[in-house]
Amino acid sequence: IIGTMPSESLMMQSDKLQINRLLTNLIKNAIEAAEGSTGVIQIHILIEKVLPNVLIKIQDHSGGIPANLVAHLFKPNFTTKSSGTGLGLAICKGIVEKANGEIWFQTKEGVGTSFYIQLPLVQG
């Protein structure tokens, strides 16, 4: 995992456990997407201040998401795995929306996927 963070502290008003769950799930998904591939698994995490928000980007290089699955990714009970409930990304979306943020992704088949989380910073 390669990370880039701002030098200053950034404050958000959100549930610490839920944000931990959100980031853990997205990183776990990136690792699982790379399973079976050869070579080193690389996940890039970028955190930057984009006023009035913090922007978090989690990027993998695991081949991307097939076009026929893109529209279903945040739907409850949708999974491409042989195990699991398919609730992970739906829960992630709920966590972000409860924190008054946004979540989206960009993917390129044959290359990889980037998930973006934008959350409001505490003003002051």
Side-chain angles (χ1 to χ4, degrees), residues 30 58-65 73 105-108 111-115:
I58 299 174
Q59 179 182 35
D60 69 55
H61 302 281
S62 303
I65 300 165
L73 230 49
F105 65 94
Q106 294 177 340
T107 190
K108 184 171 183 182
V111 179
T113 302
S114 296
F115 277 86

Side-chain angles (χ1 to χ4, degrees), residues 1 12 24-25 33 39 71 78-79 81 84 88 91 97 103 105 114 120:
I1 296 178
M12 301 177 298
T24 299
N25 188 65
F78 176 76
T79 185
K81 301 173 193 171
I91 289 171
E97 289 176 349
I103 184 170
F105 65 94
S114 296

Side-chain angles (χ1 to χ4, degrees), residues 63-83:
I65 300 165
N68 64 324
L69 303 180
V70 166
H72 305 285
L73 230 49
F74 289 112
K75 291 181 180 176
N77 302 312
F78 176 76
T79 185
T80 60
K81 301 173 193 171
S82 59
S83 64

